[in-house]
Amino acid sequence: GSARFGLAYDESQTEETRIEQRMRVNITGIAETDAGVKLEARFRLEANEDSHANDISGRGPGAAGFAVSYGGLRVDVGNVSNVLDSGDQVDYYGYGVGFTSFLEHNANFNGPATGFGAGSQDATTIKARYNVGDFSASLSYKETRAQAAVANAPGVLGSTAVAADEEWQLGLGYTLANGMAIGAVYSDTDSSGDYWVIGLNGTAGAVGYSVIVGDGDNQADASFGASINYEVSSATSIRAVVSDGGAANADTSYGLGFRHGLGGGVTLAGGVGSKNDNTLADLGVSFSF
Amino acid sequence: GSARFGLAYDESQTEETRIEQRMRVNITGIAETDAGVKLEARFRLEANEDSHANDISGRGPGAAGFAVSYGGLRVDVGNVSNVLDSGDQVDYYGYGVGFTSFLEHNANFNGPATGFGAGSQDATTIKARYNVGDFSASLSYKETRAQAAVANAPGVLGSTAVAADEEWQLGLGYTLANGMAIGAVYSDTDSSGDYWVIGLNGTAGAVGYSVIVGDGDNQADASFGASINYEVSSATSIRAVVSDGGAANADTSYGLGFRHGLGGGVTLAGGVGSKNDNTLADLGVSFSF
Amino acid sequence: GSARFGLAYDESQTEETRIEQRMRVNITGIAETDAGVKLEARFRLEANEDSHANDISGRGPGAAGFAVSYGGLRVDVGNVSNVLDSGDQVDYYGYGVGFTSFLEHNANFNGPATGFGAGSQDATTIKARYNVGDFSASLSYKETRAQAAVANAPGVLGSTAVAADEEWQLGLGYTLANGMAIGAVYSDTDSSGDYWVIGLNGTAGAVGYSVIVGDGDNQADASFGASINYEVSSATSIRAVVSDGGAANADTSYGLGFRHGLGGGVTLAGGVGSKNDNTLADLGVSFSF
């Protein structure tokens, strides 16, 4: 599990500062057959602030995700990441700024990334990844079946139906001799068309870097994102993020942050940034257990 | 805990095949007094597909069940099985077909079996079982108290009240010298009248067999069910189920399935069958952890 | 975790006796930095009867509570106790009667005590406690931010908004050389005014005693409460509680109970009492695991 708490600032809110608080516990079951096939199942319990109003609540267990892995092949089924979210080939999120990663280098992207969480899902995803040497390929299929309209939760007028939808994603990745990884993801969704992202990331001494470029039928302009992490010392690093493009007339998003390890799995981190012309900042601790 | 996933086919659905997926974790607390009385409490977290539309969600923790056991006596209280569901004397479910046990030999029965689960309960059950030598007796009482009408969940018109109800169940069982077990359960529910089931089960070499007969005020004809499990090898078994009677003009339900142990608590299983003239089938893996 | 079940009697109900049943599991994550700062996060899963109608359900995970402690300083953040609930300086609940503690010596008090539980919270609490020698001081701040009206849950007409509120609490405590602890809590809430409680507790041989006095803008008269626990033997104790004052024309609340340890963390307990002229009683077992 993991937990984090601290302060978060959001210029767009009436009361700009809130207490940020989150606790997550993944419950994972693992089994392995005599032939060495590994099976996993997991779901998540989580507590979070609901909004900037400091109201807090728990949720979960969410829908479960399953995995089967054997040698270089891994198949995920259920409430699981699709190729873009998985990071199998493209590092879509990069080095986030702040202890809540409030700004990531995909800020100006509108890519169809869906992943595991503590909630329910209206769709089931199947993803297969195959690694062979320095090469990897992933394929995911996400199917949403039509469901009749159901009245909304209290306080929300009207009713919501689920429309049928299908999404295919293909990812290809290659790691160069110097450790630099390059990859591409292509996504085709019935409801929102094509999307592609190309990424490149690696490390050079104390510097880690990640760059992505992408575009799709659901955004006006191509998007660009880059983030770097510089290890000032063994415990402290500085991060910078920039993301641009996407919607017509989109503002450049950018931010700067730091992380400092306190030992025992505890990290103090914070950052400031601008996301679509809105100033954000945070400072807090996170820890794993 | 346990988990399973695979494919399930249902002829009656528009999209006949779905991804079957389930993860269960029971959280159990145990204590034992100096005098050797054992106390248990448990509740369940579960994730499941909600419907054939591949939508999935988690639920729980559900209502808790408690148990006190000492020597041959065990008392269960709360969200617990009644006598028919417990299997204390009668094997009401038999050898199920498929990795989801989509067909069991009680398919054509309408018996009042209620058990532990990840949900809430409007009733509290108390069951006492006493074993002495080859003989066992169980008695359960389930009380539902009247509750005022509450509006239904979003999407369901109207409101629902809970009506008061009472259910008594008595079970008697005896194990013969050759290991064959015979048993009977009699149930009397205020709202739906009497129900009785007689069962017989045992093993003969590689064959396990279970037969039940039952009838009640809530069904037109007497019901019959039988299931067998044949161990082809140490890892593989074949199962067959048949169930008949019950509702007027009911169709015979029948099915055939297999199970194959892969080691490490992993089982590959599947089956095909007909339940009330509707064809069902499944294939998948289940594992415990 | 902990669990309890047994019988509870309430004179004011139509069906006076119910099965009392509860199971609680706290999930706690702990980490410690190299400098010795300890961080904790926890949330709770719980199953309970919902009402006297024997309907039962689970809830949780609730909102999380966090703690940072270092030397004599401890800071709690999130879904955590305020000063009055915490018992840091004043023993607000004393020695409860019955295995469910259905009567405590604050029965006739109307003090603003809020604590950790398995539910959501509309407010975030921060509490700091500092211990130095025999002296301790605690300060808590609980902020509720305004939220727009949301329609009520099914079955409850209308909608509910959350109004902004602020609460400050200060507690001071001192432990005398003979082990007797004295303390005071002062609370100031925007919505309900001032409240103060003074307490004194300690042990004299086999007798434990606790006394509190308090008053506030939200009650007509000052309140008084006292409870004692007498250890008859190493396993058995008898408890008595009295609470008086508070609302105008309030009846004196009083009760008598026993506790008997069965070993292995199991306790048999029960009691009878009168709370605001309503007779209550219970008998059951509780255990921790």
Side-chain angles (χ1 to χ4, degrees):
Chain A
S2 65
R4 68 185 192 195
F5 60 97
L7 293 172
Y9 170 90
D10 183 345
E11 187 191 18
S12 69
Q13 301 285 335
T14 312
E15 299 195 75
E16 295 168 338
T17 305
R18 74 166 192 273
I19 306 269
E20 161 67 30
Q21 45 195 311
R22 190 176 79 183
M23 176 177 176
R24 271 187 181 167
V25 174
N26 290 341
I27 298 178
T28 305
I30 299 177
E32 187 167 337
T33 71
D34 293 345
V37 179
K38 188 177 170 194
L39 292 100
E40 292 169 85
R42 64 171 177 165
F43 49 46
R44 177 178 287 175
L45 304 174
E46 184 174 284
N48 242 330
E49 77 283 346
D50 293 322
S51 76
H52 208 78
N54 275 351
D55 47 332
I56 45 180
S57 64
R59 54 184 145 273
F66 304 87
V68 184
S69 45
Y70 181 71
L73 178 67
R74 178 184 164 114
V75 179
D76 287 272
V77 177
N79 180 14
V80 298
S81 293
N82 60 7
V83 174
L84 184 55
D85 183 79
S86 69
D88 283 355
Q89 285 86 22
V90 167
D91 176 27
Y92 189 56
Y93 303 105
Y95 297 101
V97 159
F99 86 106
T100 62
S101 289
F102 66 83
L103 186 69
E104 294 173 311
H105 73 194
N106 69 326
N108 284 37
F109 286 65
N110 196 21
T114 56
F116 174 72
S120 300
Q121 293 286 355
D122 282 324
T124 291
T125 301
I126 301 178
K127 181 173 76 74
R129 186 198 67 198
Y130 190 64
N131 291 341
V132 50
D134 296 324
F135 181 78
S136 83
S138 291
L139 182 69
S140 70
Y141 173 67
K142 178 180 159 191
E143 186 199 37
T144 310
R145 292 186 177 174
Q147 294 179 50
V150 170
N152 288 329
V156 185
L157 287 176
S159 62
T160 307
V162 174
D165 200 4
E166 280 188 323
E167 175 197 276
W168 286 95
Q169 293 194 340
L170 174 67
L172 299 171
Y174 189 73
T175 303
L176 304 180
N178 65 354
M180 184 188 293
I182 55 174
V185 173
Y186 172 75
S187 174
D188 181 3
T189 308
D190 276 6
S191 59
S192 58
D194 296 346
Y195 203 96
W196 60 264
V197 185
I198 294 175
L200 177 157
N201 63 80
T203 54
V207 176
Y209 59 89
S210 184
V211 179
I212 56 173
V213 178
D215 200 358
D217 292 343
N218 63 3
Q219 62 183 55
D221 298 322
S223 297
F224 166 82
S227 57
I228 60 166
N229 183 68
Y230 174 63
E231 302 280 349
V232 179
S233 71
S234 62
T236 308
S237 68
I238 290 176
R239 292 177 165 200
V241 168
V242 63
S243 188
D244 205 0
N249 306 316
D251 289 292
T252 304
S253 300
Y254 52 89
L256 192 67
F258 79 97
R259 296 195 162 230
H260 181 68
L262 298 170
V266 184
T267 302
L268 174 71
V272 292
S274 174
K275 188 173 184 177
N276 196 23
D277 204 25
N278 179 44
T279 302
L280 300 169
D282 71 14
L283 179 65
V285 292
S286 58
F287 57 103
S288 54
F289 52 84
Chain B
S2 65
R4 67 184 194 195
F5 59 96
L7 294 172
Y9 172 90
D10 182 345
E11 188 190 18
S12 69
Q13 301 284 336
T14 312
E15 300 195 76
E16 294 168 338
T17 304
R18 72 167 194 274
I19 307 269
E20 161 67 31
Q21 45 194 313
R22 189 177 80 184
M23 176 177 176
R24 274 188 178 167
V25 174
N26 289 341
I27 298 178
T28 305
I30 299 177
E32 187 168 335
T33 71
D34 293 344
V37 179
K38 189 177 170 195
L39 292 100
E40 292 170 84
R42 65 172 176 164
F43 49 46
R44 178 178 285 175
L45 304 173
E46 184 175 286
N48 241 329
E49 77 282 348
D50 292 323
S51 75
H52 207 78
N54 274 352
D55 48 333
I56 46 181
S57 64
R59 56 185 143 273
F66 305 87
V68 184
S69 44
Y70 181 71
L73 178 67
R74 178 185 165 113
V75 178
D76 288 90
V77 177
N79 181 14
V80 298
S81 294
N82 59 8
V83 175
L84 184 55
D85 184 77
S86 70
D88 283 355
Q89 285 85 20
V90 167
D91 177 27
Y92 189 55
Y93 302 105
Y95 297 100
V97 159
F99 87 106
T100 63
S101 290
F102 65 84
L103 186 68
E104 294 173 311
H105 72 192
N106 69 326
N108 283 36
F109 286 65
N110 196 22
T114 55
F116 176 72
S120 301
Q121 293 287 354
D122 282 325
T124 292
T125 301
I126 301 178
K127 181 172 76 73
R129 186 197 66 199
Y130 189 65
N131 291 341
V132 50
D134 296 325
F135 181 77
S136 83
S138 291
L139 182 68
S140 70
Y141 172 67
K142 179 180 159 194
E143 187 200 37
T144 311
R145 292 186 178 176
Q147 294 178 51
V150 170
N152 288 328
V156 184
L157 288 176
S159 61
T160 306
V162 174
D165 201 2
E166 281 189 321
E167 175 197 276
W168 286 96
Q169 293 193 340
L170 173 68
L172 299 172
Y174 188 74
T175 304
L176 304 179
N178 65 352
M180 183 188 296
I182 55 175
V185 172
Y186 172 73
S187 174
D188 181 2
T189 308
D190 276 5
S191 60
S192 58
D194 297 346
Y195 203 95
W196 58 264
V197 185
I198 294 174
L200 179 156
N201 63 81
T203 56
V207 177
Y209 59 90
S210 184
V211 179
I212 55 172
V213 178
D215 199 357
D217 292 343
N218 63 4
Q219 63 184 53
D221 297 323
S223 297
F224 167 82
S227 57
I228 62 166
N229 184 67
Y230 174 63
E231 303 280 350
V232 178
S233 71
S234 62
T236 309
S237 69
I238 291 177
R239 291 177 167 202
V241 168
V242 63
S243 188
D244 204 0
N249 306 315
D251 288 293
T252 303
S253 300
Y254 52 89
L256 192 66
F258 79 98
R259 299 196 158 226
H260 181 68
L262 299 170
V266 184
T267 301
L268 174 70
V272 293
S274 174
K275 188 176 183 176
N276 196 22
D277 204 25
N278 180 44
T279 302
L280 301 169
D282 72 14
L283 179 65
V285 293
S286 57
F287 57 103
S288 53
F289 51 84
Chain C
S2 65
R4 68 184 193 195
F5 60 96
L7 293 172
Y9 171 90
D10 183 345
E11 186 190 17
S12 69
Q13 302 284 335
T14 312
E15 299 196 76
E16 295 169 338
T17 305
R18 72 167 194 273
I19 306 270
E20 161 68 31
Q21 44 193 314
R22 189 176 80 184
M23 177 177 176
R24 275 186 177 167
V25 175
N26 289 341
I27 299 178
T28 305
I30 299 177
E32 187 167 338
T33 71
D34 294 344
V37 179
K38 189 177 170 193
L39 292 99
E40 293 170 85
R42 64 171 177 165
F43 50 45
R44 176 178 287 176
L45 305 174
E46 183 175 286
N48 243 329
E49 77 282 348
D50 292 322
S51 75
H52 207 78
N54 275 352
D55 48 332
I56 46 180
S57 65
R59 53 185 144 274
F66 305 87
V68 185
S69 46
Y70 181 71
L73 179 67
R74 178 184 165 112
V75 178
D76 288 272
V77 178
N79 180 15
V80 298
S81 293
N82 59 8
V83 175
L84 183 55
D85 184 77
S86 69
D88 283 357
Q89 286 84 22
V90 167
D91 176 26
Y92 189 54
Y93 303 105
Y95 297 101
V97 159
F99 88 106
T100 62
S101 289
F102 65 84
L103 185 69
E104 294 172 312
H105 72 193
N106 69 327
N108 283 38
F109 286 66
N110 195 22
T114 56
F116 174 71
S120 301
Q121 294 286 353
D122 282 325
T124 292
T125 301
I126 302 179
K127 181 173 77 73
R129 186 197 67 198
Y130 189 64
N131 291 341
V132 50
D134 297 323
F135 180 78
S136 83
S138 291
L139 183 68
S140 70
Y141 173 67
K142 179 179 158 192
E143 187 200 37
T144 311
R145 291 186 178 175
Q147 294 180 50
V150 170
N152 288 329
V156 186
L157 288 176
S159 61
T160 306
V162 175
D165 201 3
E166 281 189 322
E167 174 198 278
W168 285 95
Q169 293 192 340
L170 173 67
L172 299 172
Y174 188 74
T175 304
L176 305 179
N178 65 353
M180 184 188 293
I182 55 175
V185 172
Y186 172 74
S187 175
D188 181 3
T189 308
D190 277 5
S191 59
S192 57
D194 296 347
Y195 203 96
W196 60 263
V197 185
I198 294 175
L200 179 156
N201 63 79
T203 54
V207 177
Y209 59 89
S210 185
V211 179
I212 55 172
V213 178
D215 200 357
D217 292 345
N218 63 4
Q219 62 185 56
D221 299 321
S223 297
F224 167 81
S227 57
I228 62 166
N229 183 67
Y230 174 62
E231 302 281 349
V232 179
S233 70
S234 62
T236 308
S237 69
I238 291 177
R239 292 178 165 201
V241 168
V242 63
S243 189
D244 204 359
N249 306 317
D251 288 293
T252 304
S253 300
Y254 53 89
L256 192 66
F258 79 98
R259 294 195 163 230
H260 181 68
L262 298 170
V266 184
T267 301
L268 173 71
V272 292
S274 174
K275 189 176 185 176
N276 197 23
D277 205 24
N278 179 42
T279 303
L280 300 169
D282 72 13
L283 178 64
V285 292
S286 58
F287 57 103
S288 54
F289 51 85

